[in-house]
Amino acid sequence: MSKNHLYKGTLSAILLKLIEEQGRMYGYELTKRARELTSGDLDITEGALYPALHKLEAEGLLTTEVEKIGNRSRKYYRLADEKGGEARKRIDELAEYARNLQQFLNPKPGHGAA
Amino acid sequence: MSKNHLYKGTLSAILLKLIEEQGRMYGYELTKRARELTSGDLDITEGALYPALHKLEAEGLLTTEVEKIGNRSRKYYRLADEKGGEARKRIDELAEYARNLQQFLNPKPGHGAA
DNA sequence: CCGCATGCATAAGAAAATTACATATATTTG
DNA sequence: CAAATATATGTAATTTTCTTATGCATGCGG
């Protein structure tokens, strides 16, 4: 029972935020963390995840390091130094979006009307 | 300079919310109100608006009343009585989504780690 | 008269996600 | 040990949703 439909459009910014927080993360880890933090509301599927990560890498926002864990390989992502500003900008936009949405849903009870 | 891309997926819920608040609203009015409430961040275009409204109407969530203002006609939308529950459910989901997103961006300083 | 705001609507295309699949290793469970 | 499940990455076909570009018509201000 995911509520993915509402998260549409925020996926790549969410990925950037998680990666920024942890320093580096790999795909599978990102899906688990997102599920945790949203109480299961956001269930990122591979079909959405990997294309999004690849796109961010292609844009130069992320760099990768492949690491062997035993016989299996993980692909770690981290924010690219050169475009760190752009990444942070997108994360900030996400935060501003969240605030706007809150504002929208719970408009400040103006001083005017009782 | 809209930030529409972040709002993807939330449009129909946002429309429901606005209509619920005002009792009834017409298309053009909705675009203006959304722009107002989000300081211009959400600029709903007709190409997104009307298909979304038509879909909600087709789903039975909205009913319409066409009204003549002088020589021009407005199409007012209001929540359908029969499916008012579903509409409110979607609005609640939007609110929960907004809270989750806030939580996600500003995690409560957990008890766990120091 | 011309441009802009109001007001509704559709159509072609792009973007982003869903769903389904493919592959492979590691761990748990009956 | 065999089978199921978790870990781990990826692609492809399809669908949903939005953008961009139109189209039509009224009303008002300069």
Side-chain angles (χ1 to χ4, degrees):
Chain A
M1 306 306 74
S2 79
K3 281 163 195 162
N4 281 1
H5 55 112
L6 289 170
Y7 287 88
K8 248 177 209 198
T10 60
L11 180 59
S12 58
I14 281 178
L15 296 176
L16 290 175
K17 167 72 177 172
L18 290 174
I19 293 167
E20 186 209 32
E21 241 173 36
Q22 301 292 319
R24 64 171 201 170
M25 295 192 84
Y26 57 97
Y28 191 74
E29 195 184 12
L30 284 161
T31 69
K32 283 193 303 183
R33 186 115 184 87
R35 230 175 298 127
E36 257 177 50
L37 292 176
T38 61
S39 315
D41 272 4
L42 176 55
D43 181 34
I44 306 175
T45 57
E46 326 91 281
L49 174 71
Y50 293 110
L53 286 173
H54 297 164
K55 196 184 177 194
L56 288 169
E57 192 186 358
E59 288 176 300
L61 294 181
L62 295 178
T63 58
T64 61
E65 308 152 18
V66 176
E67 216 156 292
K68 284 259 166 187
I69 306 298
N71 221 329
R72 204 149 43 180
S73 52
R74 281 181 190 165
K75 197 169 182 178
Y76 280 96
Y77 290 86
R78 56 169 79 240
L79 299 193
D81 288 340
E82 320 88 50
K83 300 248 181 154
E86 173 62 17
R88 257 167 268 120
K89 195 183 116 199
R90 294 203 194 176
I91 295 169
D92 287 348
E93 273 175 13
L94 181 64
E96 196 194 334
Y97 159 68
R99 279 194 301 274
N100 267 303
L101 201 56
Q102 281 290 0
Q103 199 74 23
F104 177 87
L105 290 164
N106 307 303
K108 282 253 172 62
H111 331 283
Chain B
M1 318 327 73
S2 77
K3 282 163 195 162
N4 281 2
H5 55 111
L6 288 171
Y7 286 89
K8 237 178 215 195
T10 59
L11 179 60
S12 59
I14 281 177
L15 296 176
L16 290 175
K17 167 73 176 172
L18 290 174
I19 292 168
E20 185 210 31
E21 240 173 37
Q22 301 292 318
R24 63 172 202 171
M25 294 191 84
Y26 57 98
Y28 190 73
E29 195 184 12
L30 284 160
T31 69
K32 282 193 302 181
R33 186 116 184 87
R35 229 176 299 126
E36 257 177 48
L37 291 176
T38 62
S39 314
D41 272 4
L42 176 55
D43 180 34
I44 306 176
T45 56
E46 324 92 285
L49 174 70
Y50 293 110
L53 286 173
H54 297 163
K55 196 184 176 193
L56 288 170
E57 191 185 359
E59 289 177 298
L61 294 181
L62 295 178
T63 58
T64 59
E65 308 153 15
V66 176
E67 216 156 292
K68 284 259 166 188
I69 305 298
N71 220 330
R72 204 148 42 177
S73 51
R74 280 183 190 163
K75 197 171 183 176
Y76 280 96
Y77 290 86
R78 56 170 79 240
L79 300 193
D81 288 339
E82 321 87 51
K83 300 248 181 154
E86 172 64 17
R88 256 167 268 120
K89 194 184 118 199
R90 294 203 195 176
I91 295 169
D92 288 347
E93 273 175 12
L94 181 66
E96 197 195 333
Y97 159 68
R99 280 194 301 273
N100 267 305
L101 201 57
Q102 282 291 359
Q103 198 73 23
F104 177 87
L105 290 165
N106 307 305
K108 281 251 175 63
H111 335 282

